[in-house]
Amino acid sequence: MNIVDRRLNPKSKSLGNRQRFVRRAKADIRDAVKDALKKRKVTEVEGSEKISIRSKSVREPSFSHGRDGGVRDYVLPGNQDYKAGDLIPKPQGGGGGGRGGKASADGSGEDDFVFTLTKDEFLDLFFEDLKLPNLVKNRLKDLKNPMPQRAGFTSDGPPAKLARIRTLRRSLARRIALKRPKTEEVRALEEEIARHEAETPRNETLIAELKARLEKLVRLRKTIAYVDPIDLQYNRFDRVPRPTTQAVMFCLMDASASMTENLKDLAKRFFMLLHVFLTKHYKEVHVVFIRHTSTAAEVDEETFFRGVETGGTVISTALEEMDRIVRERYSPADWNIYAAQASDGDNIPDDMGHCIDLVENSLLPVSQYFAYIEVSEHSGPGETVAWHGYSEIAQRHKHFAMRRVTNPGEIFPVFHDLFSSSSSA
Amino acid sequence: MAALANKPLFDGPEWNFELIGRTYEAIEEIGVGEMGLNLYKNQIEVITAEQMLDAYSSIGMPLMYRHWSFGKRFARDEMMYRKGARSLAFEIVINSDPCINYIMEENSMTMQCLVMAHAAMGHNHFFKNNYLFKQWTQADAILEYLAFAKRFVAECEEKYGLGPVEAVLDAAHALMNQGVSRTAGARRRFDPQRERQREQARRDYEIEIYNELWRTLPNAPPKEEEERTDENRAEQRALLLPEENLLYFLEKNAPKLEGWKRELIRIVRVLSQYFYPQRQTKVMNEGCATFCHYEIMQRMYEKGLVTEGSMLEFAHMHAAVVYQPGFNEKHYSGINPYALGYAMMRDIKRICEEPTDEDMHWFPDFAGNQDPLGTLRDAWANYRDESFVLQFLSPKVMRDFRLFHLKNDADSPTMSVEAIHDEQGYRKVRRALARQYDVSQQDPDIQVTDADLAGSRRLVLTHYVRDGILLDKEECDRTLMHVARLWGYRVRLVEQDAATGRKIREHETLPLP
């Protein structure tokens, strides 16, 4: 008998099977994901999801007896008062499939198949057909391009990378430490021997002694190399991946008092979706959060989504802030710039002209895409100040988009619309 | 009760490997020494709950090729388990040599003891000695074969892509229940080494005869490996048809299949055949294991090797395992094979030791022979569920279970009670129950009856309808699509009454382009 402890064996042996299953059921699962999204809170986007699919594509048919018709025999346990020859009326609507228990034992639980998607599987499906617009055309450049970058020294490498100064410095230190005889020392000794040998009478003992010393020096010079392998130093380079296509996403939001909690919530959801999308899909994307009241400030993510502030509304401040940041940090030559703005449409009327000017003349020329989301409590026909102003721009520029959202259920379709692959074509 | 001569092996729920080793030895001493069990060498493997789920999804086998249906099963089992709707089995045992027993780390020591007595003794003995297993499965080769299957499927996926491999496996899985040869004789011992060579030879041949020129012909000749002459083919047909093993027939005769696809079908067929004995011996297999664990635990207790506390825990588990709800109770889902098998085997023991007059009348050949284990070992070796019930189900067990026989005729407004557990009914009930356990009666009887290899290449299957029970139409049409995919041409399925030969219904399908 053998006892084996298998507990440490690799787990999730069925991962491959699961992937095959998810791939197989993809179409069904995608529908289910869409349904699920409408219901779930966006703050929960990054969680697992219980999915129920109608098992069209994952059905496993086989030849089996139908449940109707024919003559069937059953042997059942637990008889109470039946006697041979008793007739039992069939249950109404039972379809004649025998007694209730028996019919379900035939196995009909194939219709709805419920299981749990992991977070990654969920997000992958969620973002499947979404891409940042216009990034498509730059996709080829999106490849990471590794560039060599100095990263100190190393003890081996190709001769071309030899760091000569370092190597010699180490050699010198070693030679001094090991007391390697210098060339001058040897030459002086040789000269001395020559001088003594030229003298008459020759001082043989002295000469012999000097020769012994010379021999020792020469031997030392031989054993202690001028440059030893341990002295060698090479320049070291790491290949650091450098994205050639970089994108920065500006999230602008009105945080003023005119934005009710509900509206803020809507806007937050839009950005959160956006944020999840960006962090998921593009590794080299910077996200800048700017929120504004009557003044604007760049804030961190936490403050952006959760911070509370009160004040008036001047949209142009946010646009100015964005313009400033672009000029300071994100040169349009190196960065693809995307902007998404959420607002309830309130603005000081005087400010609108300035806004349009900023967007049209400063921001749009450097941006790949500018999306404006207007959140409102009800989808009335009335136009807000900002909507009216921005409409002009939307007519003139194809890469300016605007949408209106009134309830959480509309967020995903809008999002999908804005960033679907087709609109970028 | 015998004096508590020994010190208990364990006290409390904790276990460790050394303790499992010692307990196993005590169990084996009783199982082999006292009960005369004949075992494969045991290998006990401790696994976690997660690994148990993994094992579940691959039909309990330690290795298995990859397929989405296993993923589906895993997803469902995992869900049920996490919800707490279903608990996991305490063990899984594999019919292999050495016999692999998986036991879970969560089990208490009493449960480990129970599980070893159940699986490593009971199931193991049954696997090694029952004639069906001896005849149909090679315990020493199955693991190697699975390794071959896994590698082969992976290679195919790499070479031909996931999709095509999946399509073939889907189709073969759909026909798994029709992939069994019910009569011995055609059986050949499978040898993984030979499998690999055969597969290699098949491929080498393809490479050898490959000629770029053929590709340029407008109608490339079908790459059938064995080109048969006309007379030859007629002869073959006469030999092969009707054929009950659909997978075998398709593997050998489907006109358009590539070699690797035939190999995939073969893998599924071999597995199906491997599991066929298990399908026919559920009651006996579980009954044998349950009987053994009960007997062994009892003897260990008598020897003082387990404590009273452990016995109580054991009794609780055991009672749950052999619980049989009545037909009209909420939890009823058919006859519990553990309960029926265990009850019958206990009863055989009783008949051997203390027979009543009734038993002497019903079982004259072994009643009162005072050799219960010899009688049981003989039953374990030479019967399957159907014949076991027919031979050994005693009036007492029928009375205990209060079995009755119900007939449901779709054309009649009522169901009729044909027989109950009384003097007039015993034999009828027993016969009906035995039939219920006859797998070949329960699976639809579908055979290949005609295949036109020369002309239209239409394949005809016939379902011999018993008792007017037709196939489920939707499932049947879907399954036929799979048959058509493998066959490559039109497939027709005729449902005809087995007794009268009257045609009842026809299904026909074409392969999708």
Side-chain angles (χ1 to χ4, degrees):
Chain A
M1 196 265 308
N2 251 336
I3 305 183
V4 187
D5 188 356
R6 290 264 183 239
R7 286 172 296 175
L8 295 178
N9 274 26
K11 287 186 184 105
S12 47
K13 265 204 302 198
S14 3
L15 188 66
N17 291 331
R18 188 186 172 87
Q19 286 164 345
R20 280 166 178 72
F21 168 63
V22 170
R23 189 177 60 86
R24 171 86 177 204
K26 206 161 203 174
D28 287 343
I29 294 177
R30 206 183 298 138
D31 289 347
V33 164
K34 266 181 200 157
D35 286 349
L37 256 174
K38 292 220 172 98
K39 280 177 255 151
R40 93 195 307 201
K41 286 184 181 164
V42 174
T43 44
E44 292 161 3
V45 154
E46 302 221 33
S48 59
E49 175 69 36
K50 195 191 284 177
I51 290 288
S52 162
I53 57 172
R54 253 148 282 123
S55 42
K56 255 177 299 181
S57 48
V58 294
R59 213 171 254 162
E60 297 170 87
S62 67
F63 287 125
S64 57
H65 288 306
R67 254 174 280 153
D68 308 324
V71 181
R72 289 154 207 256
D73 290 302
Y74 305 107
V75 175
L76 303 169
N79 181 19
Q80 280 153 349
D81 44 18
Y82 294 138
K83 297 209 169 45
D86 280 358
L87 295 179
I88 306 164
K90 290 183 189 177
Q92 287 300 308
R99 302 195 72 94
K102 199 66 202 175
S104 69
D106 290 342
S108 59
E110 273 262 293
D111 294 333
D112 258 20
F113 184 78
V114 180
F115 72 106
T116 311
L117 277 180
T118 66
K119 174 187 146 196
D120 276 354
E121 286 165 343
F122 183 82
L123 286 179
D124 275 342
L125 286 164
F126 178 43
F127 291 124
E128 201 179 46
D129 48 355
L130 300 177
K131 290 173 199 76
L132 275 184
N134 282 355
L135 204 56
V136 184
K137 65 184 180 199
N138 291 333
R139 177 107 51 77
L140 287 178
K141 289 189 265 166
D142 194 27
L143 297 170
K144 293 214 174 129
N145 187 12
M147 295 278 285
Q149 181 179 307
R150 275 189 191 280
F153 300 90
T154 166
S155 57
D156 59 0
K161 294 250 162 68
L162 187 69
R164 276 154 299 187
I165 294 174
R166 277 223 160 214
T167 303
L168 284 176
R169 195 186 295 158
R170 282 168 68 98
S171 153
L172 181 63
R174 185 180 49 83
R175 277 181 276 131
I176 292 170
L178 294 178
K179 301 205 171 72
R180 185 182 195 268
K182 291 190 176 117
T183 321
E184 299 85 68
E185 250 178 279
V186 177
R187 198 173 298 141
L189 200 57
E190 277 169 353
E191 276 166 14
E192 200 180 339
I193 292 172
R195 207 170 54 240
H196 284 296
E197 277 182 336
E199 278 173 11
T200 45
R202 287 171 28 153
N203 184 345
E204 291 298 340
T205 43
L206 183 64
I207 290 174
E209 192 189 320
L210 287 174
K211 277 202 170 157
R213 258 173 64 196
L214 178 69
E215 199 183 323
K216 193 177 160 209
L217 286 185
V218 170
R219 205 178 58 240
L220 269 178
R221 276 174 66 89
K222 254 187 206 145
T223 38
I224 303 170
Y226 187 81
V227 175
D228 193 87
I230 64 167
D231 302 331
L232 297 179
Q233 290 282 288
Y234 298 88
N235 292 317
R236 197 185 122 149
F237 293 89
D238 268 351
R239 296 181 77 75
V240 179
R242 207 167 278 170
T244 47
T245 294
Q246 316 175 91
V248 55
M249 182 92 215
F250 284 91
C251 298
L252 315 177
M253 185 168 70
D254 184 357
S256 69
S258 58
M259 287 279 279
T260 64
E261 274 310 308
N262 261 349
L263 296 182
K264 270 187 194 168
D265 191 48
L266 274 176
K268 275 178 196 171
R269 288 176 187 222
F270 175 72
F271 286 123
M272 288 185 97
L273 275 178
L274 202 56
H275 189 224
V276 173
F277 167 57
L278 292 170
T279 48
K280 172 80 189 168
H281 231 69
Y282 300 95
K283 291 221 169 64
E284 308 299 335
V285 172
H286 286 200
V287 185
V288 175
F289 299 98
I290 300 171
R291 62 175 195 161
H292 70 93
T293 51
S294 49
T295 56
E298 183 185 357
V299 292
D300 63 15
E301 194 186 332
E302 186 67 21
T303 326
F304 184 77
F305 288 129
R306 308 205 190 287
V308 185
E309 208 174 308
T310 49
T313 313
V314 185
I315 292 182
S316 61
T317 53
L319 300 174
E320 274 166 5
E321 177 73 1
M322 174 177 163
D323 190 39
R324 186 183 65 80
I325 295 172
V326 167
R327 235 173 287 159
E328 264 173 32
R329 307 210 300 261
Y330 299 104
S331 145
D334 296 335
W335 295 84
N336 288 309
I337 295 163
Y338 295 84
Q341 182 177 21
S343 155
D344 61 353
D346 261 1
N347 197 11
I348 301 172
D350 305 348
D351 185 48
M352 219 45 228
H354 186 38
C355 283
I356 294 170
D357 176 53
L358 269 171
V359 171
E360 258 198 312
N361 299 325
S362 312
L363 298 178
L364 274 181
V366 299
S367 301
Q368 303 280 336
Y369 203 70
F370 196 111
Y372 172 67
I373 291 298
E374 189 163 299
V375 290
S376 57
E377 301 271 12
H378 37 75
S379 49
E383 277 187 344
T384 60
V385 179
W387 186 268
H388 181 74
Y390 277 150
S391 300
E392 283 177 39
I393 310 178
Q395 278 162 15
R396 287 199 288 269
H397 299 273
K398 255 179 83 185
H399 60 302
F400 184 91
M402 47 199 292
R403 290 283 188 288
R404 200 174 273 171
V405 178
T406 53
N407 70 57
E410 287 171 15
I411 296 230
F412 177 64
V414 164
F415 179 66
H416 192 280
D417 237 27
L418 279 180
F419 292 98
S420 69
S421 348
S422 57
S423 76
S424 71
Chain B
M1 194 127 305
L4 301 183
N6 298 299
K7 206 172 155 302
L9 284 166
F10 54 88
D11 192 3
E14 299 304 320
W15 60 265
N16 58 48
F17 287 97
E18 192 257 325
L19 190 53
I20 285 185
R22 259 192 297 136
T23 309
Y24 176 83
E25 270 156 35
I27 290 173
E28 195 180 54
E29 204 182 299
I30 294 173
V32 177
E34 298 179 17
M35 297 173 66
L37 301 180
N38 172 19
L39 305 176
Y40 290 124
K41 193 166 173 286
N42 270 305
Q43 173 148 329
I44 290 170
E45 310 201 347
V46 182
I47 59 174
T48 62
E50 203 175 338
Q51 288 166 323
M52 185 58 103
L53 274 170
D54 275 344
Y56 263 36
S57 59
S58 49
I59 354 181
M61 302 310 278
L63 1 111
M64 190 44 92
Y65 54 84
R66 296 212 179 288
H67 188 256
W68 62 267
S69 63
F70 305 133
K72 173 183 163 185
R73 217 156 298 160
F74 182 82
R76 185 180 43 211
D77 290 341
E78 191 190 25
M79 181 87 181
M80 300 285 275
Y81 177 60
R82 299 228 185 281
K83 270 203 302 197
R86 186 192 289 166
S87 57
L88 294 175
F90 305 128
E91 43 77 29
I92 284 185
V93 55
I94 291 158
N95 170 24
S96 62
D97 182 15
C99 183
I100 298 177
N101 301 266
Y102 289 127
I103 62 179
M104 280 221 289
E105 65 169 347
E106 279 90 344
N107 295 352
S108 72
M109 188 55 217
T110 306
M111 272 156 78
Q112 305 291 31
C113 182
L114 163 65
V115 158
M116 283 191 283
H118 182 89
M121 296 294 127
H123 283 308
N124 187 338
H125 173 82
F126 196 79
F127 286 148
K128 188 167 179 191
N129 296 281
N130 184 266
Y131 80 105
L132 278 177
F133 288 88
K134 278 191 185 166
Q135 200 169 34
W136 290 106
T137 64
Q138 281 88 46
D140 54 334
I142 185 64
L143 292 185
E144 252 189 276
Y145 186 77
L146 284 175
F148 157 75
K150 186 177 178 182
R151 194 174 49 242
F152 183 77
V153 172
E155 278 171 17
C156 283
E157 283 182 342
E158 205 167 285
K159 224 177 289 169
Y160 309 106
L162 290 181
V165 173
E166 194 173 279
V168 177
L169 286 178
D170 284 355
H173 283 185
L175 298 175
M176 221 163 167
N177 285 346
Q178 279 72 42
V180 176
S181 297
R182 291 182 171 81
T183 44
R187 163 185 172 249
R188 280 166 61 204
R189 191 181 165 78
F190 59 73
D191 170 0
Q193 194 62 38
R194 212 186 54 213
E195 296 290 330
R196 229 167 302 146
Q197 284 166 359
R198 232 163 35 81
E199 206 277 319
Q200 186 63 41
R202 219 173 230 176
R203 222 176 325 165
D204 287 349
Y205 178 69
E206 268 175 29
I207 292 169
E208 204 177 291
I209 61 160
Y210 181 77
N211 186 337
E212 191 64 23
L213 264 184
W214 292 119
R215 230 169 41 80
T216 62
L217 291 181
N219 282 316
K223 275 194 280 175
E224 219 178 334
E225 33 187 297
E226 294 149 301
E227 289 285 346
R228 298 194 197 99
T229 62
D230 273 345
E231 319 91 78
N232 200 337
R233 188 184 298 134
E235 200 182 297
Q236 283 274 342
R237 219 157 84 184
L239 274 177
L240 286 171
L241 298 178
E243 169 64 62
E244 60 167 350
N245 189 334
L246 264 54
L247 284 181
Y248 178 83
F249 180 84
L250 288 167
E251 179 203 330
K252 300 297 177 200
N253 300 309
K256 287 207 295 195
L257 284 184
E258 290 100 321
W260 61 273
K261 290 187 180 168
R262 291 178 203 273
E263 199 65 46
L264 289 178
I265 296 176
R266 189 184 161 78
I267 287 171
V268 176
R269 183 167 68 82
V270 168
L271 278 180
S272 177
Q273 195 76 59
Y274 171 82
F275 285 114
Y276 191 57
Q278 309 210 358
R279 289 182 59 210
Q280 295 184 79
T281 54
K282 262 184 210 152
V283 170
M284 289 196 77
N285 205 340
E286 293 306 348
C288 171
T290 310
F291 179 87
C292 285
H293 81 224
Y294 184 82
E295 198 70 17
I296 290 170
M297 288 301 284
Q298 201 65 42
R299 290 183 190 209
M300 284 178 82
Y301 176 64
E302 284 165 15
K303 285 183 177 182
L305 292 171
V306 294
T307 62
E308 285 188 355
S310 295
M311 262 333 251
L312 279 174
E313 188 185 344
F314 159 70
H316 179 72
M317 311 279 323
H318 178 75
V321 165
V322 298
Y323 175 61
Q324 174 66 62
F327 73 96
N328 52 357
E329 284 173 50
K330 205 172 123 201
H331 300 292
Y332 179 73
S333 60
I335 292 176
N336 176 356
Y338 293 81
L340 182 64
Y342 174 73
M344 285 178 67
M345 287 165 196
R346 290 302 292 179
D347 202 51
I348 290 173
K349 190 180 175 200
R350 182 190 61 79
I351 292 170
C352 290
E353 287 170 345
E354 303 157 356
T356 61
D357 289 347
E358 185 187 48
D359 300 323
M360 293 302 271
H361 174 68
W362 277 74
F363 305 104
D365 32 335
F366 68 91
N369 69 0
Q370 302 305 328
D371 181 17
L373 282 166
T375 311
L376 278 171
R377 281 198 302 268
D378 176 62
W380 290 333
N382 298 315
Y383 292 84
R384 58 179 180 149
D385 285 353
E386 180 240 346
S387 53
F388 180 65
V389 166
L390 207 52
Q391 190 73 26
F392 290 99
L393 185 65
S394 69
K396 179 171 187 304
V397 173
M398 281 186 260
R399 282 195 299 274
D400 289 348
F401 274 75
R402 308 189 70 78
L403 294 176
F404 66 107
H405 174 197
L406 191 71
K407 197 180 209 61
N408 178 12
D409 187 336
D411 298 332
S412 154
T414 55
M415 293 182 277
S416 62
V417 178
E418 293 289 298
I420 65 161
H421 43 92
D422 60 10
E423 209 54 55
Q424 297 81 45
Y426 289 140
R427 283 180 202 282
K428 282 190 203 159
V429 170
R430 187 157 84 168
R431 209 175 310 125
L433 185 62
R435 194 164 178 255
Q436 198 162 303
Y437 282 112
D438 186 350
V439 173
S440 62
Q441 290 286 313
Q442 294 307 313
D443 282 349
D445 178 10
I446 296 173
Q447 301 185 13
V448 182
T449 44
D450 192 16
D452 182 358
L453 284 173
S456 68
R457 299 206 152 177
R458 191 183 58 196
L459 180 72
V460 180
L461 310 176
T462 304
H463 172 217
Y464 294 99
V465 179
R466 286 180 304 249
D467 299 328
I469 301 174
L470 296 172
L471 294 177
D472 183 297
K473 183 153 188 341
E474 216 185 325
E475 288 277 289
C476 171
D477 288 342
R478 282 209 189 86
T479 315
L480 270 189
M481 294 291 290
H482 283 308
V483 181
R485 182 180 296 159
L486 294 182
W487 178 249
Y489 298 94
R490 187 180 292 273
V491 177
R492 168 185 289 177
L493 187 140
V494 181
E495 300 200 68
Q496 72 178 47
D497 194 87
T500 63
R502 188 173 57 92
K503 221 182 255 183
I504 304 172
R505 203 160 63 169
E506 263 192 18
H507 313 261
E508 193 162 294
T509 188
L510 273 169
L512 286 176

